[in-house]
Amino acid sequence: MKQKNNSQSSNINKPYSILLVDDDPQIVHVIGKNLENKGYGVTTADSGESAFELLNKTPFDLVIADLVMGQIDGIQVLEKAKELYPESMVMILTGLGDLESAIDALRLGVDDYLLKPLLLEELHFRVEDCLKKFEDKKKIKQDQEKIRSSREYAQNIIDSSLDMIVSTDNERKIVEFNRAAE
């Protein structure tokens, strides 16, 4: 288990944290260094167990995990990441993939699926795509929170009004009213 954190991505202009999990030290080294050179904060783990320890302590924007590892495989790592941090993006990296395993992974909520050996340009494209989706998810969540807050604020104003306020639907049936209308 090795932890490194860098900042800026040249294309996304924002620091992102990536957890890279693979039991092949050469893969971890090459991909980890490459992502660091692109400006991402990269933390590496050499097993599913190590990844669980890191996930229990730290949220990651993107988790990239090898499909086949020791006792805890990539799917279990990605399920744990989604359980703890639902907004995190998750990606499978595997040398044993076929169409069926890709479909199974996607059904389980994996955001992307890469086959080894891979071209680093393809990796960068996929990582950027996942992080753009991550930003979109965060924005949607923030917008939903603003809408919820605005609705609560409006409802508080309506409820505290001394004037009768009644809301009807298109058929003129009462659907909502304030305390004064009671």
Side-chain angles (χ1 to χ4, degrees), residues 125-140:
F125 173 78
R126 299 284 190 89
V127 166
E128 281 194 18
D129 188 54
C130 276
L131 292 173
K132 285 177 188 173
K133 289 176 188 173
F134 173 75
E135 283 299 318
D136 290 345
K137 284 168 89 174
K138 278 184 18 183
K139 175 89 171 89
I140 288 168

Side-chain angles (χ1 to χ4, degrees), residues 62-74:
L62 172 62
V63 178
I64 303 171
D66 185 19
L67 183 61
V68 179
M69 293 185 288
Q71 291 180 316
I72 298 176
D73 67 15

Side-chain angles (χ1 to χ4, degrees), residues 85-144:
Y85 314 105
E87 62 281 344
S88 292
M89 302 302 289
V90 294
M91 183 185 300
I92 284 286
L93 180 64
T94 185
L96 303 172
D98 58 14
L99 184 58
E100 188 175 324
S101 65
I103 291 170
D104 288 344
L106 292 170
R107 280 187 185 138
L108 291 171
V110 172
D111 297 297
D112 208 340
Y113 187 92
L114 285 169
L115 295 175
K116 298 178 201 175
L118 57 93
L119 297 172
L120 292 174
E121 294 82 23
E122 178 71 11
L123 173 70
H124 295 290
F125 173 78
R126 299 284 190 89
V127 166
E128 281 194 18
D129 188 54
C130 276
L131 292 173
K132 285 177 188 173
K133 289 176 188 173
F134 173 75
E135 283 299 318
D136 290 345
K137 284 168 89 174
K138 278 184 18 183
K139 175 89 171 89
I140 288 168
K141 188 175 180 180
Q142 290 169 347
D143 289 348
Q144 288 172 335

